[in-house]
Amino acid sequence: MANSNLKKDNLSIIETIALSVAIIAPTAAMSINVSLMSLSASFSEPLIFFISMVIVGLVSYSVIKFNHYFSSSGSLYTFTEKTLGEKFGFLTGWALLLAYVMLAAGCCAELGAFFSKFLNYFGIQIAWLPLSMFFSLGIVILGIIDAKISTRIMLAMEGISILLIFILSIVILFKVGSTKGLSPIPFKTNKNSFSTLASTSVLAFLSFIGFESASSLGEETKNPKKFIPLAIGSAVFVTGIFYLLSSYSQVIGFGVDAKGLKALSTSSLPLTDLSTKYISRTFGIFLLFSASLSCFSCSLGSACAGSRILFAMSKDGIISKKLSIIHKKHCTPYIGIILITIVAMFLQLILFKKDGIEAFNYLATIGSLAIIVSYLFTSIGAVVFFKRTKEIKNLNIFIPILSIAALLYVLYANIYPIPEFPTNTFPYIVLIWLVIGFILNERFNKNAKIAVLDIAKEGLDL
């Protein structure tokens, strides 16, 4: 009989934190997101990161509270299913699955782009797509092995990368501060409308995607009700502070004038360019390599978290039972990992004519919108849960309501004013995905009811 149990008490606090940090991938986020955000928000990236950190912090409050009550590989899917019912639970898991698949595909495309540029320094010319396809095989292999090993590998990759960016940021702050002085401009709106800041914040939300992923280790962590909340809180606020430091140093590093804005917004490798300017070309090459490692760990972490969502939904009988089969040796949901990686590879193949960074931008933005929907359902579920358990006192009810309002506005800002093509299609791609999920769920419920009636009829005949 096929094994359908994840390895219990396998992960310590280190491995639990590692998955959230790996999917958030601070190095990958800081390697390109600030530059992309500057196209619409000029110098206000640190302000947007601060606002996004506050909103994500509000959402994380509900996720942390849920983890005190439920320990499951289903993460947000399980929390919403327990509070809003099977239908909303399925839609939450369905949206979360889209987010992880898109992030796995997008970060792998970004990995191909970064590693291609890294090889260029040594005179080797290889396009991003063949590289991303090659690294996808490594993602499958590492995803299938023991979660303790894969999470530690991800944490090591990200730790080295973060250290290098931290060093660069401190050098920039010191050199700019001692010559031109540190400017407060990056923390101002800079004539950007609130709607512009909100729509641009999708890229900032993208930088936080994965903070909740430690919840998917609920069945494998030694002390889930203690370790997982600690991992989530650390992932949000420690990473958020790192983002503020790095985004601010990038903006002032290029310069808070028209020339600096143009240089930042047109740079495909802002950290490498800043390294060359403030430290050395060699340091920039190392940083580019570390950014590639960060993208790899993000794609790997997304596949691992997504496979556990599939595992939980499969165990509940919502999708194929084959997805709940566990690897005999490593006790990991290997079929889900392989499936997610194959879909991610297919998405990258569709975008083969695009640059790897552009492919990342498309895929990851769709993933960001999808996970905002998951956060929204989870926050609504928290309000229902706190009311049901009579935890309405203090901030328990106010914080989820505040997060709901903020998330709704961010979604609205990405629909109106209507953005340019193809960005204007992304919200509708998520909507179509949710409609497909709704139809699948209705069909499953209908089939399940028919099966129950048939069994009952057979019993009466006997």
Side-chain angles (χ1 to χ4, degrees):
M1 182 176 179
N3 181 23
S4 61
N5 292 309
L6 299 171
K7 188 179 288 187
K8 296 289 185 181
D9 299 328
N10 184 43
L11 306 177
S12 67
I13 181 63
I14 297 298
E15 290 92 20
T16 306
I17 292 175
L19 184 63
S20 286
V21 173
I23 299 181
I24 289 177
T27 306
M30 289 297 96
S31 295
I32 195 63
N33 288 359
V34 176
S35 178
L36 294 174
M37 291 165 68
S38 67
L39 292 169
S40 57
S42 62
F43 305 110
S44 299
E45 291 74 45
L47 174 63
I48 294 173
F49 273 111
F50 177 74
I51 295 172
S52 299
M53 180 178 68
V54 172
I55 296 174
V56 172
L58 294 174
V59 176
S60 72
Y61 179 83
S62 297
V63 178
I64 288 172
K65 292 288 288 185
F66 275 131
N67 273 286
H68 286 141
Y69 290 88
F70 310 111
S71 298
S72 168
S73 61
S75 185
L76 306 188
Y77 152 69
T78 298
F79 304 153
T80 312
E81 189 269 338
K82 296 287 186 183
T83 55
L84 300 181
E86 292 182 358
K87 187 170 295 184
F88 280 101
F90 178 83
L91 289 176
T92 300
W94 192 245
L96 190 60
L97 179 61
L98 176 62
Y100 285 144
V101 169
M102 288 294 174
L103 195 59
C107 285
C108 203
E110 188 180 20
L111 164 61
F114 284 163
F115 202 75
S116 176
K117 294 179 185 295
F118 172 74
L119 293 177
N120 287 344
Y121 281 103
F122 303 96
I124 303 173
Q125 303 291 328
I126 303 178
W128 70 271
L129 187 58
L131 291 170
S132 69
M133 294 296 104
F134 172 77
F135 285 118
S136 294
L137 300 177
I139 288 170
V140 171
I141 293 171
L142 289 179
I144 291 175
I145 66 174
D146 192 326
K148 181 186 288 289
I149 298 173
S150 61
T151 51
R152 284 183 177 268
I153 290 173
M154 288 186 279
L155 186 62
M157 288 180 177
E158 200 59 49
I160 295 170
S161 306
I162 290 173
L163 177 61
L164 292 176
I165 293 182
F166 181 77
I167 292 172
L168 174 62
S169 299
I170 296 300
V171 171
I172 292 174
L173 291 177
F174 177 77
K175 290 190 175 181
V176 174
S178 61
T179 54
K180 301 177 182 178
L182 300 179
S183 172
I185 288 177
F187 288 100
K188 296 181 179 180
T189 60
N190 296 302
K191 299 182 179 180
N192 290 302
S193 67
F194 201 73
S195 177
T196 298
L197 296 176
S199 60
T200 308
S201 70
V202 169
L203 285 169
F205 273 105
L206 165 63
S207 304
F208 283 100
I209 282 184
F211 82 85
E212 78 296 327
S213 59
S215 299
S216 67
L217 301 177
E219 296 179 35
E220 300 166 83
T221 303
K222 291 179 180 178
N223 190 348
K225 293 182 179 179
K226 178 181 179 181
F227 289 168
I228 291 178
L230 180 60
I232 291 172
S234 301
V236 172
F237 294 105
V238 175
T239 303
I241 293 172
F242 173 75
Y243 286 160
L244 291 177
L245 172 67
S246 180
S247 62
Y248 179 77
S249 65
Q250 286 188 55
V251 173
I252 65 169
F254 279 102
V256 285
D257 53 22
K259 182 180 179 182
L261 178 60
K262 182 179 180 180
L264 174 61
S265 61
T266 58
S267 176
S268 60
L269 298 172
L271 292 178
T272 302
D273 292 341
L274 288 171
S275 296
T276 302
K277 181 179 180 180
Y278 289 96
I279 301 180
S280 70
R281 182 173 179 270
T282 301
F283 189 88
I285 295 174
F286 275 117
L287 198 51
L288 179 57
F289 178 73
S290 67
S292 300
L293 295 179
S294 178
C295 292
F296 182 85
S297 67
C298 178
S299 189
L300 171 60
S302 299
C304 289
S307 68
R308 282 156 175 80
I309 299 296
L310 288 173
F311 171 81
M313 296 173 78
S314 176
K315 286 191 71 175
D316 288 346
I318 295 177
I319 55 178
S320 173
K321 284 291 185 180
K322 291 182 179 180
L323 291 166
S324 63
I325 298 175
I326 297 301
H327 194 279
K328 292 182 179 179
K329 179 180 179 181
H330 302 297
C331 297
T332 52
Y334 71 103
I335 295 179
I337 291 171
I338 293 172
L339 177 61
I340 288 175
T341 305
I342 290 174
V343 174
M345 293 171 71
F346 176 73
L347 291 171
Q348 294 171 75
L349 287 170
I350 292 176
L351 297 171
F352 76 97
K353 290 185 177 181
K354 301 292 183 181
D355 177 79
I357 298 299
E358 191 175 9
F360 160 77
N361 190 17
Y362 290 173
L363 295 167
T365 301
I366 294 171
S368 296
L369 293 172
I371 208 161
I372 288 174
V373 172
S374 293
Y375 293 163
L376 180 62
F377 286 153
T378 303
S379 297
I380 295 172
V383 174
V384 174
F385 182 74
F386 293 148
K387 182 178 179 181
R388 183 186 302 166
T389 56
K390 298 181 180 180
E391 290 194 33
I392 305 177
K393 59 184 178 180
N394 300 325
L395 297 177
N396 285 347
I397 200 73
F398 175 73
I399 291 179
I401 290 175
L402 198 59
S403 64
I404 291 169
L407 292 170
L408 284 173
Y409 184 78
V410 171
L411 287 175
Y412 171 77
N414 279 274
I415 299 173
Y416 187 84
I418 300 174
E420 295 181 1
F421 181 84
T423 308
N424 62 328
T425 65
F426 295 164
Y428 300 102
I429 291 174
V430 176
L431 179 60
I432 291 171
W433 176 261
L434 291 174
V435 170
I436 292 172
F438 179 82
I439 294 172
L440 289 175
N441 185 246
E442 286 295 309
R443 179 169 295 182
F444 163 77
N445 288 333
K446 182 179 179 180
N447 292 338
K449 289 177 181 178
I450 292 173
V452 170
L453 290 173
D454 288 343
I455 292 171
K457 185 178 178 180
E458 290 178 5
L460 290 173
D461 292 339
L462 292 173

